[in-house]
Amino acid sequence: MTTADEQTRTDRLIKWAVALKYSEIPDHVIQRTKDFFLDTLGCAIAGRDHPAVSAMVRFAAQMGPSSGKSELIDSSQNLTTSPAFASLINAAASHVVEQDDLHNRSIMHPATVIFPAALAVAQDLGASGQEFIAACVVGYEVGCRVGEYLGKSHYEKFHSTATGGVIGVAAAVSHLLKLDASQTLSAVGTAGTQAAGLWKFLIDATHSKQVHTAKACFDGIFAAYSARDGLLGPRDILEGPRAMGAALVPGETNPEAIDRNLGLDYAVVRSSFKWHASCRHTHPSVDALLHLMKKHGVGFDDIDSIRVPTYQAAIDVLGLSGEGDTVHQSKFSMGFVLAIAAKKGQAMITDFTEEDLKDTSLRAFQKSVKMELDERINAQFPEKWQGTVIVTCKSGNSFTESVEFAKGDPECSLTRSEIEAKTHALARYGGITDASKVDSLIKRAWNLEYETDVRGFFF
Amino acid sequence: MTTADEQTRTDRLIKWAVALKYSEIPDHVIQRTKDFFLDTLGCAIAGRDHPAVSAMVRFAAQMGPSSGKSELIDSSQNLTTSPAFASLINAAASHVVEQDDLHNRSIMHPATVIFPAALAVAQDLGASGQEFIAACVVGYEVGCRVGEYLGKSHYEKFHSTATGGVIGVAAAVSHLLKLDASQTLSAVGTAGTQAAGLWKFLIDATHSKQVHTAKACFDGIFAAYSARDGLLGPRDILEGPRAMGAALVPGETNPEAIDRNLGLDYAVVRSSFKWHASCRHTHPSVDALLHLMKKHGVGFDDIDSIRVPTYQAAIDVLGLSGEGDTVHQSKFSMGFVLAIAAKKGQAMITDFTEEDLKDTSLRAFQKSVKMELDERINAQFPEKWQGTVIVTCKSGNSFTESVEFAKGDPECSLTRSEIEAKTHALARYGGITDASKVDSLIKRAWNLEYETDVRGFFF
């Protein structure tokens, strides 16, 4: 509790965010922001024909304007609308194929909410590439700090990408709208009182995951535009009685995450790429398994069973989807993902198919995989997302392999050529047959800070 | 927990809702629905110029279509838009002046979300008065049952009008869209994963209360229209791990509220009118005080101090707004509301003014009022909203008065002529100078079941 004159942690975070200028952002942060922006465009193209996205396109057509300055990702040509609806759809699309980034400490996927919202609003306002980048850096920072503040016990029930994400969106959009600190606090307050998103959908493979990212954008844009137009939000929606921490966190919060090392430690460069096309909780184990198989010359058919010591959140989230009746659900089954990786040598987007769901060898392998809580790994999560597999072969041999970081983690990040290759794969998956179009998209992304506007990124 | 073949409580509730036909609804339920509909129109007119509403009108103008089939309440003439935006604004407007209804058991204000959403969608679809009434009965029933299920401990942190409300809206809109049980379950699931709304705003008198009702409408409409267009929501968003009960309720839920006595016990006829223009938690005490003053001939200036034994939720909610720096906040101060009632003999909408905030006699009276927890009253809340005041006079005399029900409670409801008088007062407050316009509004409301469409209710 603070008096009116005392600064809250939320005050300090928002003052920092409002003051941030493009010229003050370190170059490696700018470069990584562009990496994730391109990565997100690829994800959105790959997911654009999903039924959840189509339902939202239809909603936008019925409830929104028939044209506008913001571009809508869709297979049909040249669709435009208002920024709230464009971001709704693009955020849904970019979260479908489970290839968007992960901010480890907050257990959030910031890219899929921050970029669609900031892009749609930047297009609406005619903002430059530099203004767009600065807003995205702000959105990552504010959103991920809130996610980390809400912490592990929040994540057990809530999809933090939505609950932290809506705050990040409000901050990013406020930056583009050039709101002052008081208005931005209102925007963040209004965003926080809309924060929602439950994991319940994992049980029956339904579309809430896309709803969460879509609505985080819409609701955050609502919060920021309304704040500009006089709507007052609570001054500190994060801390104190009946704030997000009190209402949405059954266990401990991490208050210091809100305002420690502002400007010294950027969330963007602590975010990870997804290399495999499955739930991020499977990635360290996939990497460990692939290393093990290569190191010891073990093949798919040689494996009798696998034990996977892991952290509690992986067991919680992956435990909800059962055997995986759909392609999307199968990406949340540790056993099925390891089966795919072991059989195909990789777990890329094209490696998960309807046929694979009926493959009895994959299903038998899946059943032989058992997750178990490892207290040492759990204690370091989400600071570190470690993976260990203990493989017992049919021959009787047993091997163990651990990875401290998964491929794509900040400590083990993707190269630009790997990002480009991933983008090409995502675009092909999304039906783009002309690779030269993808090449020019890549070129624009790498030169984003020189763009005078950010229109024409979808096709 | 249930297997796939077992019916959940949510299944039973939704099957009942989908099957409900206008012809099966008892006449007293229909009549009371019309009462609350008219009451809500009055509330919306009275609140339409509030800054929170203006900010949302601006948001709708920027993000929504410039015209549509749904009518927007606004002082400017003849505004129309899509149903999602019309309901956003009308719901915000109808919750501003604290005169909308209260469903006692669920501690929810159903009217301010159910009517704006159902009206906007009925206008969009060209639905009849009877279809509109049936959808509202469904919305009340589903929303209030969910609010009662979430219960008292939920209400300590969350504005149940929003969290139960969004579910009620999804059910009402699904009924108008004639969705089947499976689609309606999806709509309700998608609504529930968006459920949000924190009491934090009471501390600094900000606009979240209107955001909550506005967004409950928008989000519920999103859920229902998207469900029709193929978006799948979780099958049981109410019960089970990571559902609303598990994530949003720190204490006990009331599961039996979900599906007991379906079709036998209607939420609409268990809802209360607000007669006084203040937070509903002050009403039983206001009634007790007014009775006491009349019975014993006690005047405003005779009173030295008042003790108010009450239930915990009243202490929690009313304790947040401090002394009441704004007119809106002052309606959440037990002391200030009792002061107004004692001095003016009533606490109607025109009885709370900026001047009153500076009245030192009111402020001194306010300070002499002390709430205290009464375990007997608390144990019966929210089944009964009882009020007791213990008045000590300057003469040394002391009097006690209790009311079992407040004026407006189902057991002590308003007459049609009282409702008409209240509507005229609300419309005058909202700037309607032509009383004959209000008379024709009233006439249409009383004949709602004979209307072939529900257009033209706002002006």
Side-chain angles (χ1 to χ4, degrees), chain B residues 115-171:
Chain B
F115 290 117
L119 185 66
V121 170
Q123 290 174 341
D124 189 45
L125 301 175
S128 70
Q130 293 189 0
E131 288 170 319
F132 171 69
I133 290 170
C136 293
V137 170
V138 163
Y140 260 76
E141 201 61 43
V142 173
C144 294
R145 283 172 180 269
V146 171
E148 191 179 347
Y149 161 63
L150 298 173
K152 269 201 243 191
S153 73
H154 173 74
Y155 180 77
E156 285 171 19
K157 318 248 173 179
F158 294 90
H159 188 190
S160 309
T161 298
T163 53
V166 69
I167 306 273
V169 167

Side-chain angles (χ1 to χ4, degrees), chain A residues 242-277:
Chain A
R242 296 173 184 76
M244 290 176 77
L248 307 178
V249 183
E252 298 273 303
T253 56
N254 305 304
E256 73 289 352
I258 298 172
D259 65 343
R260 73 170 166 225
N261 294 335
L262 282 165
L264 299 174
D265 185 18
Y266 282 86
V268 176
V269 293
R270 289 193 174 269
S271 206
S272 303
F273 292 92
K274 269 191 176 175
W275 185 241
H276 312 301

Side-chain angles (χ1 to χ4, degrees), chain A residues 62 194 200 215 228 239, chain B residues 62 194 200 215 239:
Chain A
Q62 290 172 95
Q194 298 175 81
K200 180 79 192 206
K215 287 300 300 323
R228 187 195 59 184
E239 294 195 276
Chain B
Q62 292 172 94
Q194 297 174 81
K200 179 79 192 207
K215 287 299 301 322
E239 294 195 275

Side-chain angles (χ1 to χ4, degrees), chain B residues 340-355:
Chain B
I340 288 282
K343 186 162 187 177
K344 307 195 180 188
Q346 58 180 22
M348 306 299 280
I349 189 162
T350 46
D351 295 318
F352 291 84
T353 68
E354 291 291 335
E355 288 64 47

Side-chain angles (χ1 to χ4, degrees), chain B residues 69-104:
Chain B
K69 291 181 182 162
S70 302
E71 297 160 9
L72 209 72
I73 189 145
D74 192 71
S75 302
S76 33
Q77 291 292 306
N78 296 327
L79 284 175
T80 60
T81 180
S82 64
F85 285 102
S87 67
L88 180 92
I89 289 156
N90 298 339
S94 60
H95 202 46
V96 162
V97 296
E98 298 291 336
Q99 287 270 270
D100 49 311
D101 80 338
L102 168 88
H103 181 260
N104 302 43

Side-chain angles (χ1 to χ4, degrees), chain A residues 276-341:
Chain A
H276 312 301
S278 55
C279 176
R280 192 53 163 72
H281 292 307
T282 65
H283 289 208
S285 312
V286 169
D287 287 337
L289 179 61
L290 292 175
H291 290 172
L292 181 149
M293 292 174 75
K294 192 172 172 190
K295 196 197 276 185
H296 300 288
V298 173
F300 176 75
D301 293 324
D302 299 332
I303 296 175
D304 179 68
S305 65
I306 305 183
R307 285 165 51 210
V308 183
T310 187
Y311 46 87
Q312 188 62 47
I315 294 171
D316 288 346
V317 170
L318 300 174
L320 288 174
S321 297
E323 294 193 355
D325 294 335
T326 66
V327 169
H328 186 264
Q329 250 184 339
S330 75
K331 296 174 178 177
F332 285 82
S333 161
M334 178 68 86
F336 197 80
V337 172
L338 291 187
I340 289 282

